[in-house]
Amino acid sequence: MDEAGTDADLRRGILTARDPAEVLAHLHAYTPAAGLPTLDATEGVRLVAEVSRWLPGSRTDIETVLAELDPVLRRLLPPPGAMALRDYHAENLVLCDSETGLRRIGLLDFQDAVVASPVQQSLLLQPGSHLRLDGE
């Protein structure tokens, strides 16, 4: 077995459950490019506030919710320090049949790159996230 799936998987054009995690680990090893926005607790609260303006239906006191959310996010989120992609999902991973190992997986869609905690992006790999893998 090579470092990201098997040769049989490659011939069938299949991403294994391990492949997306390997790609993330590789991506997180790089120093983030200068000038990338930071996705930290402050930005998280700002994004929740922005989304709340567009949600239909009844609204609670959003300022109260945000005030309570901020210290929770600050406690839970590790400090940002890795390059991360806000649009990381299976459709942005492409197989390159002329390569082997981890090099066989290409990664698209860097325009949403941010500096974030690797933990935040790794949560996308958990069951129930939008990332679909072979065998699910």
Side-chain angles (χ1 to χ4, degrees), residues 41-120:
T42 300
E43 179 64 2
V45 169
R46 190 196 69 74
L47 291 171
V48 169
E50 185 65 29
V51 168
S52 72
R53 290 190 244 293
W54 298 99
L55 292 177
S58 65
R59 292 200 177 142
T60 59
D61 178 12
I62 191 63
E63 295 306 318
T64 300
V65 171
L66 295 177
E68 292 174 5
L69 180 62
D70 184 66
V72 172
L73 287 180
R74 290 183 191 285
R75 276 196 326 270
L76 293 177
L77 293 178
M83 183 164 59
L85 303 179
R86 289 189 282 191
D87 194 22
Y88 187 75
H89 54 86
E91 288 78 14
N92 283 339
L93 299 175
V94 293
L95 292 174
C96 306
D97 59 4
S98 62
E99 299 289 345
T100 60
L102 192 57
R103 292 182 60 92
R104 74 186 176 92
I105 305 170
L107 182 57
L108 304 174
D109 211 0
F110 279 81
Q111 75 267 13
D112 289 331
V114 294
V115 179
S117 164
V119 173
Q120 288 173 266

Side-chain angles (χ1 to χ4, degrees), residues 16-25 27-28 39 77 83-93 107-109 112-114 116-133 136:
T16 67
R18 182 177 172 182
D19 292 330
E22 291 284 346
V23 171
L24 277 183
L27 178 68
H28 294 161
L39 186 55
L77 293 178
M83 183 164 59
L85 303 179
R86 289 189 282 191
D87 194 22
Y88 187 75
H89 54 86
E91 288 78 14
N92 283 339
L93 299 175
L107 182 57
L108 304 174
D109 211 0
D112 289 331
V114 294
S117 164
V119 173
Q120 288 173 266
Q121 188 156 48
S122 299
L123 293 174
L124 293 174
L125 300 175
Q126 299 303 309
S129 72
H130 71 280
L131 184 62
R132 252 184 95 63
L133 305 171
E136 288 188 337

Side-chain angles (χ1 to χ4, degrees), residues 1-19 95 99-102 104-105 134:
M1 177 163 341
D2 62 28
E3 62 189 83
T6 66
D7 290 335
D9 291 334
L10 174 61
R11 285 191 297 277
R12 292 190 328 241
I14 292 174
L15 287 173
T16 67
R18 182 177 172 182
D19 292 330
L95 292 174
E99 299 289 345
T100 60
L102 192 57
R104 74 186 176 92
I105 305 170
D134 181 51

